[in-house]
Amino acid sequence: MIGTLSYGQGNEIINQYQTFTSYLEKQTRSLVELEPAFNEKKALERIRSQAWSLVFAPPGLATIAMTEHGYIPLLPLEGIGNLRSVIVVRQDSPFQTLKALADQTIALGQIGSATGYYFPIFNLYGLTIDKIFFLSTPKAILESVAQGKAVAGSLSLEEFKTYQSQFPFGTFRLLFTDTHNVPPGVVLIAPSISAHRTEEILQILNDTPSAIANEAGFVPHSPVPDYTYMISVVERVRNIFPETTQFSTENVRLYK
């Protein structure tokens, strides 16, 4: 079973991997199925249970899968070289600094999102937030800010560029852009797969024709990205902010 994260892309994500899954079936001589998870919460459930043998994981999910559940990184995903976490507000918002968000309501992504959850909490360290909404998609985060339900929301800069066009021009402005690059995602393999089979699958991935690899979004014959800083951010966030599965949390103190 191949797992990946899909924010409601439906058939689009299935079509994206169709040629690759057919190729992998032929090369491994086994049935290969794709299971998209439509948010980080569902993806983490599948990773915890090791229901996915191969995972095309964005950086936040990859960090959890590697550090907590023993998944092994094989190859990098095609990624933006300068993926950044940003915090956005409405254009007419009076807030100009992160400190101004103290005692306000903000919208974040779910546990497992590097740019929507881990990096913003890391950057808001030291503040007391009145309420946090944990929303399942970047578009939902922007909607909450646009509607005034939250005064600020966090997502990646690329997601912001993608989804802001679905709102009236000038609805948002950037309040904060993180200066640290988020590493590209990675292709992971479950620890339940034998070492011999893992080597075999890695070789198959490396031998994938470039057109198929490009379509599936991974980079053969490339080193795994350095996750040292990403792992440190996740560990720090866990120290200052206990993980929750609730949809919202009130009166949150982001202190160690």
Side-chain angles (χ1 to χ4, degrees):
M1 180 77 74
I2 299 176
T4 188
L5 182 64
S6 167
Y7 293 124
Q9 292 171 287
N11 289 334
E12 181 181 340
I13 196 73
I14 294 174
N15 293 337
Q16 178 186 340
Y17 286 92
Q18 186 171 17
T19 305
F20 172 70
T21 55
S22 297
Y23 166 81
L24 196 58
E25 279 188 341
K26 181 178 179 180
Q27 298 301 315
T28 61
R29 302 172 298 281
S30 60
L31 178 64
V32 177
E33 296 182 28
L34 175 72
E35 182 184 37
F38 299 112
N39 56 57
E40 284 88 359
K41 181 180 178 181
K42 293 296 182 184
L44 282 174
E45 289 175 358
R46 303 303 281 164
I47 288 170
R48 288 189 187 105
S49 65
Q50 295 194 12
W52 290 343
S53 298
L54 207 63
V55 187
F56 285 66
L61 288 177
T63 302
I64 301 302
M66 289 187 291
T67 59
E68 286 195 8
H69 305 290
Y71 275 77
I72 301 164
L74 299 179
L75 294 169
L77 297 181
E78 287 184 349
I80 313 253
N82 296 311
L83 184 63
R84 303 287 179 87
S85 175
V86 299
I87 294 178
V88 304
V89 295
R90 284 172 54 105
Q91 186 67 251
D92 57 4
S93 170
F95 302 116
Q96 300 295 328
T97 66
L98 289 183
K99 289 184 178 180
L101 299 180
D103 301 316
Q104 301 298 324
T105 297
I106 63 174
L108 300 180
Q110 294 184 342
I111 295 169
S113 171
T115 54
Y117 182 88
Y118 293 111
F119 274 86
I121 292 177
F122 182 82
N123 289 315
L124 292 169
Y125 175 74
L127 299 183
T128 297
I129 304 299
D130 180 56
K131 182 182 289 187
I132 298 176
F133 295 123
F134 300 104
L135 303 178
S136 59
T137 67
K139 184 179 179 181
I141 291 170
L142 290 179
E143 286 175 344
S144 70
V145 176
Q147 296 166 4
K149 296 178 180 178
V151 302
S154 185
L155 64 169
S156 77
L157 181 59
E158 289 305 311
E159 289 167 342
F160 176 61
K161 290 177 179 178
T162 297
Y163 291 105
Q164 69 170 333
S165 62
Q166 299 181 24
F167 298 84
F169 178 77
T171 300
F172 308 103
R173 63 177 168 84
L174 294 177
L175 176 71
F176 175 81
T177 301
D178 196 293
T179 58
H180 296 94
N181 294 336
V182 181
V186 290
V187 182
L188 303 169
I189 193 165
S192 57
I193 307 300
S194 70
H196 175 74
R197 187 63 163 169
T198 295
E199 291 179 6
E200 180 184 3
I201 291 175
L202 177 57
Q203 188 60 53
I204 290 171
L205 293 177
N206 278 327
D207 291 341
T208 303
S210 58
I212 297 177
N214 288 340
E215 189 175 33
F218 68 95
V219 188
H221 297 288
S222 295
V224 173
D226 183 359
Y227 265 67
T228 304
Y229 185 70
M230 181 75 232
I231 291 171
S232 71
V233 169
V234 171
E235 290 176 347
R236 177 68 178 275
V237 167
R238 286 179 162 174
N239 285 333
I240 66 176
F241 185 61
E243 293 184 352
T244 176
T245 58
Q246 297 177 1
F247 291 106
S248 65
T249 300
E250 298 184 5
N251 193 28
V252 182
R253 293 174 59 83
L254 300 181
Y255 296 87
K256 185 173 180 180

